[in-house]
Amino acid sequence: PMTNFSTPPHNAVFDAFRERLAAVFARMDKAYDEAAISRGFACTGCQDNCCKTWFQHHTLAEVLALREGFSALPAEARGAARQRAMAVLAARTAWGGESGPFSAWCPLNENGRCMVYEKRPMICRLHGLSWSLSLSGGRVQGGPGCAVFEALAGEKAPALDRTPLYREMAALEQELRRAAGFSGRVNESVAEIIARLGEEER
């Protein structure tokens, strides 16, 4: 379901967090690059493309960053992205879940490149490598990388510990929500975010 932004936080609220979020994103990129290099992995595009994966995003910070990146695009590019977003959502509705995981190109992917690359969400930055995440009570979650990474890496320990990155993002998110007076639930795909942003422009 789309997040209810009945009163979207003003850009001035996000201003105080923009550089901090950019720094968190930069640390994610650096951690990913280092882990990928350590395993001899390079993402060059494949059938298991992360830009075709249906991700849900859960932080206000990511939504506001995407909104900023989207708003900076030329009007024609925004319109094309919104049309693609609506097509993805229609396909998602028609999909029904009977034929395996839903897959569709992200509406912000244009000719193989992200239109808002510097503002892309964190899972877009971290997907592809095997990972671990330490939770409260000593529990540890983890998951595999993409098919190409797994074929290369074999049975080694997870390549990327997401714990410090997620904790840093969570701390920033809590502060941003307090500053914005926002307590809503965020659970949106990029297609849903772009479709809603298109409606806001009307």
Side-chain angles (χ1 to χ4, degrees):
M2 287 190 181
T3 302
N4 180 14
F5 284 99
S6 55
T7 54
H10 191 273
N11 284 345
V13 176
F14 188 51
D15 285 346
F17 294 87
R18 184 180 292 104
E19 289 188 8
R20 284 181 56 191
L21 180 60
V24 173
F25 280 162
R27 281 188 279 277
M28 289 180 179
D29 294 343
K30 183 173 184 290
Y32 181 97
D33 289 343
E34 290 176 349
I37 290 172
S38 73
R39 298 298 176 86
F41 173 73
C43 180
T44 56
C46 63
Q47 292 301 313
D48 186 29
N49 195 303
C50 57
C51 292
K52 295 173 67 176
T53 303
W54 181 262
F55 292 124
Q56 297 294 117
H57 308 285
H58 304 289
T59 70
L60 178 62
E62 291 171 286
V63 172
L64 294 181
L66 268 179
R67 182 170 73 174
E68 189 169 77
F70 180 77
S71 298
L73 296 173
E76 183 177 349
R78 294 198 304 273
R82 183 177 180 275
Q83 288 183 348
R84 291 193 294 268
M86 298 304 295
V88 169
L89 295 179
R92 170 80 173 180
T93 299
W95 162 66
E98 292 89 12
S99 57
F102 179 73
S103 177
W105 283 105
C106 174
L108 291 176
N109 184 298
E110 186 173 62
N111 300 321
R113 300 186 67 85
C114 179
M115 300 168 71
V116 295
Y117 187 78
E118 295 301 323
K119 306 288 186 179
R120 70 197 189 282
M122 60 180 174
I123 193 60
C124 303
R125 299 168 187 272
L126 301 179
H127 183 70
L129 302 180
S130 60
W131 57 275
S132 63
L133 179 65
S134 297
L135 305 174
S136 59
R139 295 178 298 138
V140 178
Q141 285 185 344
C146 67
V148 174
F149 176 85
E150 289 299 302
L152 175 69
E155 299 295 324
K156 295 180 180 178
L160 181 62
D161 180 7
R162 293 182 179 178
T163 308
L165 304 171
Y166 275 33
R167 287 177 177 169
E168 190 172 5
M169 188 68 164
L172 185 149
E173 175 74 1
Q174 288 176 359
E175 291 185 43
L176 174 59
R177 282 171 172 257
R178 283 195 297 268
F182 178 81
S183 59
R185 179 172 178 261
V186 179
N187 183 32
E188 291 184 304
S189 67
V190 168
E192 289 168 322
I193 294 170
I194 297 308
R196 176 170 50 74
L197 294 179
E199 289 297 327
E200 288 179 7
E201 287 189 342
R202 293 187 170 189

